[in-house]
Amino acid sequence: MTASSKSNEKTKTDQARKKEALEEAKLIAQKMRRNILLMTHHAKGGHPGGCLSATDILAVLYKCFLRIDPQNPRWSGRDYFFLSKGHAVPAQYAVLIEMGFLSPEEIKDFREVEGRLPAYPSCTDTPGIDMASGSLGQGLSIANGTALAAKLDGTGQRAYVLLGDGELHEGQVWEAAMTAAHYKLNNVCAIVDYNKLQLDGALDEVKTLGDLRAKWEAFGWHTLEIDGHDYEQIYDALVEAERFKDGPTVIIAHTVKGKGVSFMEDEVGWHCAAPSDEELEIALKELS
Amino acid sequence: MLMAPREAYGQALVELGRENKDVVVLDADVAKASMTILFKEAFPERFFDIGIAESDLIGTGAGFALAGKIPFINAYANFLLGNGWDQIRISVCYANQNVKIIGHNIGASSGKDGPTHLPLEDITLTRVFPGMTVIEPADGIEVKKAVKALAKHVGPAYMRVGRVPIPVITKEEDEFQIGKANVLRQGQDVTIVACGVMVSKALEAAQALAAEGIEAEVINMHTIKPLDKEAILASVSKTQRVVTAEEHTVIGGLGGAVAEFLACTRPVPMRMIGSPDRFGVCGTYEQIHQVLGLTTEKIIEAVKDLMSS
Ligand SMILES: Cc1ncc(C[n+]2csc(CCOP(=O)(O)OP(=O)(O)O)c2C)c(N)n1
């Protein structure tokens, strides 16, 4: 066999492996969506819209990229993931269930006094959660800190952070963006869940982000723009972020708030609202 | 009767907006929760959503004040004080600007949103600033009066507004003056100084205690700063004992203010009801009050403890 046909062979198996992984990620996402609805329905509260827009991204990231160990959540060599838009924590609980960090029975504990699933991420309560959040704007700075430490120790660990688009209003995000660019943190990958809605309404009405791509580029970031529900695109962007060595990468993922549930899609009313019994039933049917 | 302080607040802002064209309202992407949405609908040109940017919000408010407007600026108390504290310190208080800072979803009123969303420190964080006025109305009726009073008052001010319905215990005709406490019940055995929803619990406690022959004086300390020292002195001179009650940490809040004052002037035995030195939990409003000990029973216990010591 010639060298080139060998590498063709390898590419083929890579492609096959990727395809298989993405099929699994899709199944994970479907279960996640169901669990997100069950959680918010049971708790009669939470933020389904911003969970569903981030679900596909989380499924691919956890299934195909994060080096983590459910048997040892605090493994010191793990990759870090920070859910800076902490109100979407049901999506993270849902993916942690699929990855074996949490059990499906715990769904009923969401937002309750007892149990391990508080309304916002808590690293002192929940295995698989690395930092407290819930106050928007703080996650990228944390990612930078862990990424700088990983460089100091030469561990090769990576830090990922998921940001809301409304969250980008917070000044701290841009302070941190400058820090990551300054230190050329090629082990930091920020993902913007660009669903164009926030709490009070559409971003463009509340406070526009203007040319978001140009903003990140001006801040010195390797900037990718994808459809955040297209599995190939999510996968390829995360590969590109790993490959890029000159600095931090941001993936601007165009998404739909409420994705996957017809009556929740692109509806600001589902930012913070729990589905009723009937709505849950319809939604679960759509997701079966 | 129950009334949500935020509903009263939203309505009062609209009335104020009608009376005073200099009033502007700023919010940080929580207009539906803070009920400033009502003002937005009535006076869209005088409403500004600054987005999820609380430090920018405070600074913009200071700019409005400098230019002669009367800005009411709104966000969840925890994020407002958390992200905007230095801006409040310098651009509002040190610069002595006429900014009305309204902290929403106070105490346990965010319920199941849990620890990150339960502001239990905001009285402490605002009370420390020279020149700052700090108010927590006892109910919805008082919220409306406080809004009017704040608009007339010139200088930096902070007001706490809760999300969930709480008992209405004051009357329309009651006087409301910033810095002047209201004695709601006379008694000679113990003084209970309370603010916010804890005033209604103090009244309940006083009633239960009366059945056992203990007469409590209940003071509605709606203004935590400047503290009505005369009212406190007059009452404790009579009772020689004081219990404070607040939906807030016992560190540096209303209890702290009363203790600081009495310790240096007329020390008397004292107990404080408030959140102990811990974070909150996810739970219903009532569950959180139970967990943190913000209950009528705890006030009664504290009074009995004082009476027997
Ligand atoms: C510092 C801070 N301010 C305000 C809030 C209240 N809040 C929670 S979610 C939200 C809107 C978030 O919008 P976005 O970041 O676009 O999230 P998504 O639409 O993806 O859910 C707001 C204002 C908060 N959690 N933190």
Side-chain angles (χ1 to χ4, degrees):
Chain A
M1 215 188 268
T2 63
S4 89
S5 73
K6 209 178 205 169
S7 87
N8 272 348
E9 209 43 34
K10 183 180 174 301
T11 323
K12 219 183 272 167
T13 50
D14 277 357
Q15 283 298 333
R17 221 179 293 129
K18 168 178 161 187
K19 202 168 161 229
E20 204 175 301
L22 291 185
E23 284 311 315
E24 279 178 51
K26 272 181 205 166
L27 286 179
I28 287 173
Q30 192 184 19
K31 289 190 203 152
M32 285 170 64
R33 286 198 159 88
R34 294 176 64 88
N35 279 339
I36 288 163
L37 294 165
L38 289 167
M39 253 182 269
T40 48
H41 170 263
H42 188 269
K44 298 193 173 66
H47 302 76
C51 290
L52 294 168
S53 59
T55 297
D56 299 314
I57 295 163
L58 290 186
V60 176
L61 182 64
Y62 270 85
K63 172 71 194 139
C64 308
F65 291 89
L66 288 182
R67 288 165 300 177
I68 47 177
D69 179 3
Q71 301 314 318
N72 185 9
R74 294 250 177 259
W75 169 43
S76 61
R78 70 189 181 280
D79 286 337
Y80 295 100
F81 170 72
F82 301 106
L83 185 70
S84 196
K85 43 169 278 186
H87 57 281
V89 75
Q92 194 174 10
Y93 294 151
V95 79
L96 288 172
I97 288 172
E98 299 312 316
M99 305 312 290
F101 286 79
L102 299 171
S103 103
E105 284 77 59
E106 293 184 77
I107 281 178
K108 63 172 190 346
D109 298 336
F110 177 50
R111 292 170 73 88
E112 293 297 332
V113 179
E114 306 295 339
R116 308 193 290 181
L117 309 192
Y120 290 83
S122 167
C123 51
T124 51
D125 286 303
T126 317
I129 300 247
D130 279 333
M131 180 48 70
S133 80
S135 182
L136 294 164
Q138 303 188 5
L140 185 51
S141 302
I142 316 283
N144 289 344
T146 58
L148 283 164
K151 286 205 176 276
L152 209 52
D153 292 344
T155 62
Q157 286 163 283
R158 296 181 56 74
Y160 296 86
V161 59
L162 185 75
L163 302 162
D165 47 5
E167 182 180 15
L168 301 185
H169 289 156
E170 288 287 358
Q172 186 183 348
V173 177
W174 301 99
E175 296 171 25
M178 269 186 264
T179 304
H182 177 80
Y183 286 102
K184 298 202 171 12
L185 295 181
N186 55 15
N187 53 345
V188 166
C189 175
I191 306 164
V192 179
D193 182 359
Y194 199 7
N195 59 33
K196 283 99 185 164
L197 295 177
Q198 50 187 113
L199 193 159
D200 274 345
L203 253 104
D204 277 341
E205 278 159 34
V206 176
K207 190 156 100 174
T208 183
L209 294 176
D211 188 341
L212 187 56
R213 184 186 186 106
K215 280 194 171 70
W216 282 101
E217 281 173 348
F219 273 74
W221 283 60
H222 182 43
T223 307
L224 309 173
E225 221 169 329
I226 63 164
D227 172 347
H229 303 301
D230 179 317
Y231 280 69
E232 290 264 343
Q233 289 189 30
I234 300 169
Y235 187 94
D236 293 346
L238 287 167
V239 170
E240 168 61 16
E242 274 182 342
R243 193 202 57 78
F244 186 76
K245 291 291 172 252
D246 294 345
T249 295
V250 60
I251 301 171
I252 300 174
H254 292 266
T255 56
V256 175
K257 211 160 168 169
K259 176 74 179 179
V261 178
S262 59
F263 57 89
M264 289 187 178
E265 288 193 359
D266 220 15
E267 283 292 336
V268 74
W270 287 101
H271 170 74
C272 178
S276 67
D277 294 350
E278 299 84 61
E279 285 163 341
L280 177 71
E281 201 180 314
I282 300 170
L284 290 180
K285 226 174 254 162
E286 290 184 12
L287 292 167
S288 60
Chain B
M1 187 178 68
L2 297 176
M3 193 194 293
R6 62 170 175 160
E7 305 269 352
Y9 173 71
Q11 293 161 11
L13 267 190
V14 173
E15 280 172 37
L16 184 65
R18 212 171 280 132
E19 289 162 16
N20 190 332
K21 299 280 175 263
D22 284 334
V23 169
V24 295
V25 173
L26 282 66
D27 206 305
D29 195 32
V30 293
K32 288 183 224 164
S34 67
M35 299 304 292
T36 61
I37 184 109
L38 299 178
F39 188 94
K40 178 186 177 179
E41 282 159 5
F43 310 104
E45 70 292 347
R46 281 191 274 148
F47 175 85
F48 303 88
D49 203 326
I50 302 301
I52 311 168
E54 294 78 9
S55 32
D56 185 30
L57 175 80
I58 304 274
T60 311
F64 265 115
L66 183 65
K69 301 294 177 197
I70 306 174
F72 278 71
I73 69 180
N74 303 269
Y76 296 165
N78 43 321
F79 303 135
L80 193 62
L81 273 304
N83 286 331
W85 197 76
D86 193 33
Q87 288 76 4
I88 296 174
R89 181 169 182 266
I90 303 298
S91 308
V92 177
C93 290
Y94 179 53
N96 193 28
Q97 294 300 322
N98 189 25
V99 180
K100 318 301 172 190
I101 301 165
I102 315 298
H104 291 271
N105 287 12
I106 54 109
S109 65
S110 275
K112 291 192 169 192
D113 275 337
T116 54
H117 282 58
L118 303 178
L120 296 167
E121 317 88 352
D122 50 314
I123 295 178
T124 310
L125 289 173
T126 48
R127 196 171 74 76
V128 288
F129 293 135
M132 183 69 119
T133 293
V134 179
I135 294 177
E136 182 176 1
D139 64 13
I141 290 181
E142 207 163 79
V143 166
K144 291 189 180 179
K145 292 177 190 166
V147 167
K148 297 239 159 109
L150 278 173
K152 289 209 183 86
H153 172 86
V154 179
Y158 174 70
M159 178 165 78
R160 303 184 98 200
V161 174
R163 180 185 185 90
V164 299
I166 59 171
V168 172
I169 46 138
T170 68
K171 295 187 203 68
E172 294 290 350
E173 62 270 22
D174 292 346
E175 202 198 340
F176 179 88
Q177 204 183 316
I178 293 175
K180 190 153 184 344
N182 294 354
V183 179
L184 300 186
R185 188 184 191 283
Q186 312 268 346
Q188 69 287 334
D189 296 327
V190 61
T191 301
I192 308 177
V193 181
C195 61
V197 68
M198 297 310 285
V199 177
S200 65
K201 300 197 185 193
L203 286 171
E204 261 177 31
Q207 210 167 18
L209 288 163
E212 298 184 39
I214 300 170
E215 291 300 332
E217 183 142 303
V218 177
I219 300 181
N220 170 12
M221 193 62 71
H222 51 68
T223 308
I224 296 133
K225 187 179 186 181
L227 192 68
D228 188 345
K229 296 172 180 169
E230 272 174 38
I232 296 174
L233 265 190
S235 185
V236 298
S237 303
K238 196 166 52 169
T239 63
Q240 307 296 340
R241 297 174 189 89
V242 63
V243 173
T244 58
E246 62 201 297
E247 195 187 10
H248 185 271
T249 173
V250 291
I251 302 175
L254 172 67
V258 172
E260 286 160 21
F261 167 61
L262 287 177
C264 300
T265 51
R266 189 186 179 102
V268 295
M270 180 169 178
R271 298 288 181 273
M272 292 184 200
I273 299 299
S275 171
D277 188 14
R278 57 161 294 172
F279 284 101
V281 293
C282 294
T284 62
Y285 189 60
E286 290 72 25
Q287 276 175 325
I288 298 169
H289 276 210
Q290 283 293 339
V291 171
L292 298 180
L294 309 176
T295 61
T296 305
E297 293 69 38
K298 286 283 177 197
I299 298 174
I300 295 171
E301 252 174 55
V303 167
K304 288 189 178 166
D305 183 33
L306 269 185
M307 302 297 293
S308 63
S309 64

